[in-house]
Amino acid sequence: DAGVIQSPRHEVTEMGQEVTLRCKPISGHNSLFWYRQTMMRGLELLIYFNNNVPIDDSGMPEDRFSAKMPNASFSTLKIQPSEPRDSAVYFCASSLATGRREKLFFGSGTQLSVL
Amino acid sequence: AQTVTQSQPEMSVQEAETVTLSCTYDTSESDYYLFWYKQPPSRQMILVIRQEAYKQQNATENRFSVNFQKAAKSFSLKISDSQLGDAAMYFCAYRSGSEKLVFGKGTKLTVNP
């Protein structure tokens, strides 16, 4: 299994531009999570899906952020318009939605820099 | 809301020695899991060990073990015979029935040769 695949690995953009981060979860996993990591705030959960349905998006910072999961094998996190304070590493993770015991498998993250 | 606190931003240990990383958490739930994740410079998040709240026996994985004190809401990680490859950020995490995984802010571990 290739694991959780995220793209791009690095993204540099200018303030005001739209940014789209992509994630392919592990096949068979039906829970998907988006996290943001910064030095100041650590790892923050932005949103998570069960069976492609958003369950909790209370961590999404503001309306500029949106996430979709059109099918079981693909999810996107979009920032429009982007701001310098959005600079962070964004992680996607997936797990079997069979309860709290299951560990999360993380992708390698996308390093986002907004200039 | 559940919170996870790691009070040691940085720790260091000599190679082959033992080090303990601290973690406390706050919850009103009785059934949950606790995890330690390792993040080396490669940025990859790697599960080190996990503990079910209902199990009194402390989890162990080779050189890694935990000291789980449920009443005190404490979950420390002990690394024995430290190796250079253990150098990384270590994150304590909590997961309950809501399925959210809540992380602490991490401890940066340096291993000195």
Side-chain angles (χ1 to χ4, degrees):
Chain A
D1 198 323
V4 176
I5 299 173
Q6 288 187 248
S7 64
R9 185 160 174 83
H10 303 277
E11 176 79 32
V12 180
T13 191
E14 292 186 349
M15 182 174 63
Q17 296 298 305
E18 177 180 298
V19 175
T20 299
L21 311 181
R22 296 172 175 79
C23 175
K24 177 180 169 56
I26 291 173
S27 177
H29 283 188
N30 40 16
S31 287
L32 183 138
F33 304 78
W34 282 100
Y35 282 88
R36 178 171 68 176
Q37 184 178 28
T38 61
M39 289 292 292
M40 290 297 294
R41 301 172 71 91
L43 277 153
E44 304 172 276
L45 177 65
L46 300 177
I47 185 171
Y48 78 96
F49 297 82
N50 268 357
N51 296 316
N52 313 338
V53 176
I55 302 300
D56 186 343
D57 64 355
S58 59
M60 296 287 262
E62 48 198 274
D63 292 345
R64 297 184 297 106
F65 285 69
S66 62
K68 294 182 179 180
M69 192 164 186
N71 57 61
S73 59
F74 184 65
S75 177
T76 59
L77 178 67
K78 185 179 293 186
I79 308 172
Q80 165 65 18
S82 59
E83 296 181 4
R85 60 192 168 119
D86 301 330
S87 298
V89 179
Y90 291 81
F91 285 99
C92 175
S94 70
S95 76
L96 293 169
T98 53
R100 60 194 72 84
R101 182 183 188 280
E102 295 300 325
K103 72 176 188 178
L104 268 62
F105 292 79
F106 284 79
S108 298
T110 295
Q111 174 81 59
L112 174 64
S113 298
V114 183
L115 307 177
Chain B
Q2 293 86 4
T3 58
V4 178
T5 302
Q6 293 179 250
S7 59
Q8 306 153 316
E10 296 188 23
M11 291 283 285
S12 63
V13 63
Q14 290 297 125
E15 198 175 0
E17 297 295 308
T18 296
V19 64
T20 298
L21 308 184
S22 301
C23 173
T24 59
Y25 58 95
D26 186 24
T27 183
S28 58
E29 302 190 25
S30 59
D31 190 15
Y32 50 86
Y33 270 84
L34 297 162
F35 304 81
W36 278 97
Y37 278 84
K38 170 185 178 181
Q39 186 181 42
S42 67
R43 217 163 66 195
Q44 189 69 39
M45 293 288 285
I46 303 165
L47 178 67
V48 175
I49 198 166
R50 63 183 157 188
Q51 173 82 40
E52 183 177 7
Y54 271 109
K55 288 190 175 179
Q56 291 187 336
Q57 186 174 7
N58 290 323
T60 62
E61 289 286 345
N62 301 314
R63 297 182 296 105
F64 298 87
S65 62
V66 300
N67 183 5
F68 174 48
Q69 301 289 328
K70 190 173 184 179
K73 296 179 182 176
S74 170
F75 182 61
S76 61
L77 174 70
K78 185 171 81 171
I79 306 173
S80 304
D81 185 25
S82 297
Q83 300 176 0
L84 295 177
D86 295 334
M89 285 289 291
Y90 285 82
F91 293 94
C92 179
Y94 165 101
R95 192 178 190 189
S96 71
S98 69
E99 301 195 40
K100 285 184 180 182
L101 188 64
V102 178
F103 286 91
K105 292 204 171 176
T107 297
K108 182 179 180 181
L109 178 66
T110 300
V111 181
N112 300 310

